[in-house]
Amino acid sequence: MRNPRYDILFEPVRIGPVTAPNRFYAVPHASGMTNTMPRMRAAFRGTKAEGGWGVVCTGYVSIHPSADDSPLPYATLWDDNDIRSHALMTEAVHAHGALAGIELWHGGGSVSNKTTRLPPLSPSGLSWMATHVGFMGNQRSKAMDRTDINNLLRWQAEAARKAKRAGFDIVYVYAGMGYLPYEFLLPEWNLRTDEYGGSVQNRVRLVRELLEVTKDAVGDTCAVALRISLEELRARASDNAASEAHEVVALLADVPDLWDVKMDSSPTDCAPSRFTPEGSHEPVIDFVKRVTRKPVVGVGRFTSPDAMASQIKRGVLDLIGAARPSIADPFLPRKIDSGRESDIRECIGCNICISSWHDGVPVRCTQNPTIGEEWRRDWHPERYARSEKAANVLIVGGGPAGLECALTLARRGCKVSLAEAQAEFGGRLRFETSLPGLKTWGRVLDWRLGQLAKFDQVSLFPGNRLSVDDILGLEHQRIVIATGARWTRMLYSPLELPVTAPMANVFTPDDVAAGAHIEGPIVVFDYDNYYMGGVLAEHVARGGAQVSYVTPAGHASAWTIMTNEQPQVHRALARAGIPLHTLSLVKAFESPELVLANLFTGAEQRLACRSLIVVGARLPHSELYDALLSRQSEWADAGIDAVDRIGDAQSPGAIAHAVYSGHRYARDFDQDARAPLYKRDSPIVESEPRVYAEAAVGREAAAR
Ligand code: ADP
Ligand code: SF4
């Protein structure tokens, strides 16, 4: 039974000519699934609709080949095949009574058109020149002339008509995050002296015209939404309003049918929980509802129904937007609707999902291993086929892999015993959630323990370190080893490989976790490159020691560029007074001095150091597994059919990898060994693929 406090979340909301059945709105977000994966994409979004999201949107969809974000995974709506490709999604979403939205997109001077090789377009010939190599390009943009502007308006209208044919109910104009219409809004990008530049009225003109042509094209049956970034604009003073953001929203107030409001850059828009709390957009977007009569949707990594209801009641939002919470739990709305709030698998704000987009692959999630696998592996987040081989399984190790495996096996009807050496479950999470900013990651453990408690056939044995003899003395058909991994003391060679170099006073994160006494000054040497090096440096610095951070990479916690954390990692280290030494290898260490060598030049530098903490290679705890294999001849008498490894005990990775590994084992353990790994998706090709309007681009006006 639904809690009446949350009734407000289930009210329908009129959006132009269409009506959302409730206030749960799965906003446009990158899924990594391009038009080459239309069935995966459709099932992924259809599952959100099935889970109760009243509106489900696409990610960014290019309206024209001059908006080519390759190698990042963007969708296209360029030809008839693309229409069919997207129609699979609208059908999947409509099948559950939800509305389908499409975020039409032009990347302007923020893309390099690496595949189409057309000149990028921008208001004044300026291009985004990123500091990170992953986003760098050498192709600068062309300043748009009047013909280019007319073309853009035509492309938007044509794409909107295609979107309508594909069955979409809400069609977007996207003026955010450095993309083309946004570039017209900001005076740094827009140096024009014609009617599209200068005053705020002029800078807003293109967005208004895009909205108008979209309305003319499809506004009779589809709602027209404006997605806009307001952070930079809100920071700018205005002569006519409280800020330029207020002025822009006032000028366009009732032109779109829906305002979808957000921040300007990925690290603030999709901010990690390590540095930013839930609801962080509110101070920037809170004014919009006071300026427009049209409904407003916004995000904030909302997972609590109370926080959602509060947003509505306080007049901040009309629709609760979600990207990450809808990935972590596609059934979040249904769970609230049926009074099962405690079953919500809350997003932990780790941003592994956004790293998938940066990697150019289908979306992955730490909390939800089924995301992106709905079609190709037939993994439904809430439905589990009963195992034909109702096995009796012993899982050794209660970290993320063991916990996820236990839960999924239980859902499949297996009898499960889960043994954990320590008094508390959680594995690596026990220590890592105590590190600065990582408390929210504890949801990985809490949710699984909460769910496991519902199953009578699950027995939990904390405080039980099992030996081979213990395991052979128990009666289980399947043994799953989930004993995790350990950090090594290996250093790093100029060939970029871990190397063993015996030295005294060298520690690992495991030593820190175990409470080892580590004397300062401390150097953290990080070639793992994810969060651990940076967060551990912060952690030991809080203990009062003098700490330096050294890495062979070009940035601190270099891989965290993928999870939107890197700017904040640098700021956090600076705040903690931790000096950085990048492009550096450890050449020699004899307390109290550490010798560094530059990765490229070999130039040496000396640092005061009594303790070196190496955050580098991890190796599996495979002793138990190896010992069991060495006694395979005894398995039959012990009733054991098979012994397998999962998670870090198999191949060390991020928590997301461990969860996925545990889940996959439990889904597949009873499959024929030669069963297909998964279905392979392919593009829809019903008519000869052709890109229209190509010839018109890049010619000078005089030639047309
Ligand atoms: P993963 O990320 O793969 O789940 P973790 O390192 O987080 O790996 O968790 C592994 C867990 O296994 C740890 O909590 C550890 O205490 C436990 N463990 C290791 N060896 C044994 C053992 N012999 N018996 C029971 N538990 C064990
Ligand atoms: Fe949330 Fe992390 Fe899953 Fe993304 S990957 S939805 S941030 S739990």
Side-chain angles (χ1 to χ4, degrees):
M1 259 271 289
R2 186 205 298 165
N3 184 330
R5 262 208 327 271
Y6 308 135
D7 285 352
I8 195 169
L9 299 172
F10 292 87
E11 292 167 352
V13 179
R14 183 128 191 107
I15 309 174
V18 298
T19 301
N22 58 39
R23 296 185 190 267
F24 294 95
Y25 194 110
V27 293
H29 73 81
S31 73
M33 289 172 240
T34 64
N35 289 27
T36 61
M37 302 172 192
R39 296 163 194 84
M40 283 173 67
R41 194 169 60 181
F44 151 70
R45 299 214 170 96
T47 304
K48 292 194 194 188
E50 186 190 351
W53 297 89
V55 180
V56 180
C57 295
T58 63
Y60 66 148
V61 179
S62 168
I63 61 173
H64 186 267
S66 58
D68 155 25
D69 209 14
S70 51
L72 291 169
Y74 66 103
T76 55
L77 189 49
W78 297 347
D79 65 11
D80 287 353
N81 289 318
D82 287 344
I83 296 175
R84 186 65 209 130
S85 177
H86 288 288
L88 293 186
M89 172 214 157
T90 60
E91 287 158 12
V93 168
H94 290 159
H96 299 287
L99 300 178
I102 182 167
E103 184 184 51
L104 298 181
W105 164 84
H106 197 293
S110 289
V111 299
S112 301
N113 295 344
K114 289 173 185 160
T115 299
T116 65
R117 306 204 66 176
L118 296 173
L121 301 170
S122 70
S124 305
L126 298 178
S127 293
W128 183 37
M129 296 184 68
T131 46
H132 195 279
V133 68
F135 298 96
M136 287 178 191
N138 306 315
Q139 172 78 71
R140 303 288 163 241
S141 56
K142 171 196 174 207
M144 292 170 78
D145 60 21
R146 186 65 226 202
T147 311
D148 294 318
I149 290 178
N150 288 340
N151 282 340
L152 177 73
L153 295 169
R154 181 165 53 79
W155 300 333
Q156 172 74 18
E158 285 170 0
R161 281 190 285 273
K162 289 189 182 88
K164 182 171 171 174
R165 281 173 58 203
F168 286 99
D169 310 287
I170 301 174
V171 179
Y172 271 74
V173 168
Y174 187 13
M177 301 202 103
Y179 298 132
L180 186 52
Y182 175 87
E183 293 165 12
F184 274 79
L185 293 176
L186 279 197
E188 282 86 348
W189 283 87
N190 184 348
L191 311 177
R192 301 176 74 95
T193 53
D194 64 3
E195 69 270 35
Y196 291 95
S199 66
V200 176
Q201 284 88 339
N202 280 359
R203 283 184 265 135
V204 164
R205 189 179 310 277
L206 182 79
V207 176
R208 174 192 291 280
E209 290 178 355
L210 285 164
L211 288 165
E212 286 169 354
V213 296
T214 311
K215 278 209 153 177
D216 286 349
V218 299
D220 52 340
T221 54
C222 301
V224 175
L226 173 61
R227 192 169 217 212
I228 189 165
S229 293
L230 294 171
E231 199 179 358
E232 293 277 358
L233 289 166
R234 182 133 194 203
R236 268 162 225 277
S238 157
D239 293 336
N240 312 310
S243 74
E244 284 206 355
H246 289 74
E247 207 177 340
V248 167
V249 176
L251 284 166
L252 296 172
D254 293 335
V255 183
D257 297 314
L258 171 73
W259 284 85
D260 180 338
V261 290
K262 61 184 321 212
M263 308 291 261
D264 293 49
S265 75
S266 214
T268 53
D269 191 58
C270 180
S273 62
R274 185 174 159 194
F275 298 104
T276 313
E278 188 174 323
S280 61
H281 291 208
E282 186 176 329
V284 170
I285 58 85
D286 58 353
F287 73 95
V288 177
K289 251 188 78 58
R290 294 195 293 277
V291 183
T292 175
R293 289 172 299 172
K294 298 301 173 86
V296 178
V297 61
V299 296
R301 198 165 35 79
F302 297 118
T303 55
S304 138
D306 287 314
M308 296 176 195
S310 157
Q311 290 281 313
I312 310 292
K313 287 182 188 149
R314 289 187 294 114
V316 183
L317 299 172
D318 297 293
L319 293 140
I320 300 301
R324 289 173 290 175
S326 73
I327 295 171
D329 195 342
F331 274 62
L332 180 151
R334 289 244 181 277
K335 289 176 182 173
I336 299 173
D337 197 18
S338 54
R340 293 187 296 128
E341 296 84 56
S342 62
D343 287 342
I344 294 172
R345 186 172 41 209
E346 292 180 283
C347 167
I348 66 166
C350 63
N351 282 357
I352 282 292
C353 48
I354 190 79
S355 80
S356 321
W357 175 65
H358 292 142
D359 272 337
V361 296
V363 64
R364 298 163 300 213
C365 172
T366 300
Q367 277 283 58
N368 178 9
T370 69
I371 205 78
E373 304 287 7
E374 300 85 352
W375 180 83
R376 72 171 187 172
R377 288 191 191 268
D378 205 15
W379 288 358
H380 188 278
E382 301 292 318
R383 283 197 293 276
Y384 293 80
R386 267 193 97 71
S387 171
E388 299 291 311
K389 301 183 182 162
N392 182 5
V393 184
L394 170 67
I395 301 171
V396 187
L403 288 161
E404 175 65 21
C405 188
L407 177 58
T408 309
L409 285 171
R411 285 172 151 179
R412 298 200 57 206
C414 299
K415 189 161 179 274
V416 182
S417 302
L418 177 59
E420 165 54 50
Q422 304 298 324
E424 305 285 338
F425 285 95
R428 62 192 291 178
L429 292 166
R430 281 189 300 267
F431 171 58
E432 294 186 15
T433 53
S434 73
L435 294 172
L438 297 187
K439 187 163 173 279
T440 312
W441 292 19
R443 290 172 175 182
V444 171
L445 168 65
D446 297 342
W447 183 79
R448 284 171 179 79
L449 281 180
Q451 297 295 305
L452 280 167
K454 296 175 191 242
F455 291 93
D456 291 338
Q457 82 272 27
V458 172
S459 307
L460 301 180
F461 299 100
N464 267 279
R465 179 175 292 281
L466 297 188
S467 65
V468 182
D469 288 329
D470 293 334
I471 294 169
L472 291 173
L474 297 165
E475 287 191 4
H476 295 93
Q477 292 153 278
R478 291 267 177 166
I479 310 296
V480 182
I481 302 298
T483 47
R486 65 175 186 280
W487 293 93
T488 70
R489 291 177 169 71
M490 297 169 93
L491 293 177
Y492 190 73
S493 81
L495 289 180
E496 303 186 331
L497 285 170
V499 281
T500 303
M503 290 175 182
N505 300 317
V506 178
F507 300 87
T508 70
D510 294 327
D511 297 320
V512 182
H517 173 70
I518 301 178
E519 196 184 348
I522 297 170
V523 171
V524 174
F525 176 58
D526 177 16
Y527 64 91
D528 169 65
N529 294 325
Y530 192 18
Y531 58 91
M532 183 55 86
V535 80
L536 204 68
E538 268 189 84
H539 175 72
V540 289
R542 285 184 186 188
Q546 183 193 325
V547 181
S548 305
Y549 173 95
V550 175
T551 178
H555 293 80
S557 296
W559 194 78
T560 61
I561 184 78
M562 310 295 269
T563 51
N564 287 349
E565 290 162 294
Q566 193 173 78
Q568 298 96 315
V569 169
H570 276 254
R571 287 198 279 272
L573 292 176
R575 266 197 310 274
I578 299 171
L580 305 187
H581 302 271
T582 56
L583 297 179
S584 298
L585 299 172
V586 170
K587 188 167 182 188
F589 172 43
E590 197 169 329
S591 178
E593 194 174 64
L594 182 78
V595 183
L596 304 181
N598 183 279
L599 177 66
F600 300 135
T601 66
E604 290 186 7
Q605 187 185 359
R606 282 157 203 278
L607 297 183
C609 176
R610 289 203 177 275
S611 305
L612 175 65
I613 302 178
V614 179
V615 183
R618 292 165 72 216
L619 289 174
H621 276 303
S622 60
E623 303 77 10
L624 188 59
Y625 178 77
D626 294 341
L628 274 166
L629 285 199
S630 72
R631 290 174 64 177
Q632 195 161 358
S633 56
E634 298 169 53
W635 291 6
D637 285 349
I640 296 173
D641 295 338
V643 176
D644 296 290
R645 279 181 293 185
I646 58 170
D648 292 327
Q650 187 181 57
S651 55
I655 297 166
H657 298 117
V659 169
Y660 187 87
S661 167
H663 191 89
R664 186 159 86 85
Y665 179 84
R667 291 272 193 176
D668 290 352
F669 84 97
D670 50 354
Q671 298 288 308
D672 185 317
R674 293 194 54 79
L677 190 60
Y678 54 71
K679 286 181 285 184
R680 190 172 173 193
D681 209 349
S682 56
I684 304 250
V685 185
E686 289 181 348
S687 56
E688 190 185 341
R690 227 177 237 157
V691 179
Y692 297 94
E694 187 182 13
V697 181
R699 284 189 198 154
E700 291 307 318
R704 277 193 283 272

